[in-house]
Amino acid sequence: MALTRFALMTTLPRAETQMKKYRFIQLDVFTNQPFAGNPLAVFPDAEGLNDEQMMKIAREMNLSETVFVLEPKRESATADEAIETQPDVSNKNGAQSG
């Protein structure tokens, strides 16, 4: 896996006039060369996003997978995650998502 990283920001409506910013990183996976793998978006601090917002963000990213890292719900865990996949998208490793 090549760790080609892009640190970017996105904003979502908080209220009618406020926007909350969420940082995300785009990685290339299933490759050892930059810009040659399967692009994956990771939101390392996705607390505050609901399921509908995560799905909308994943659609907007237009990647085969988008990962949202959340606070753990169990004491024994260090984090929880929500993974959104785009329907009818073939991953470069041959797996079918959706």
Side-chain angles (χ1 to χ4, degrees):
M1 167 173 60
L3 294 177
T4 305
R5 297 174 57 135
F6 305 93
L8 305 169
M9 299 290 282
T10 188
T11 57
L12 289 176
R14 243 186 170 173
E16 288 188 33
T17 57
Q18 294 181 335
M19 301 285 267
K20 182 168 182 184
K21 293 183 179 184
Y22 289 90
R23 183 174 69 91
F24 71 94
I25 301 162
Q26 185 170 331
L27 304 169
D28 276 335
V29 295
F30 306 119
T31 185
N32 59 3
Q33 299 175 354
F35 307 111
N38 189 26
L40 167 75
V42 178
F43 285 76
D45 182 16
E47 281 304 311
L49 293 173
N50 62 38
D51 290 346
E52 181 182 356
Q53 290 170 319
M54 285 188 259
M55 187 60 83
K56 285 180 178 180
I57 291 169
R59 267 191 233 115
E60 182 72 20
M61 298 303 295
N62 199 30
L63 301 173
S64 58
E65 291 185 335
T66 304
V67 177
F68 299 91
V69 181
L70 305 166
E71 290 292 320
K73 294 183 176 132
R74 301 173 318 264
E75 283 188 35
S76 61
T78 56
D80 280 341
E81 63 184 33
I83 300 174
E84 301 292 341
T85 59
Q86 294 297 310
D88 302 324
V89 175
S90 288
N91 294 323
K92 290 205 182 241
N93 68 349
Q96 189 74 19
S97 65

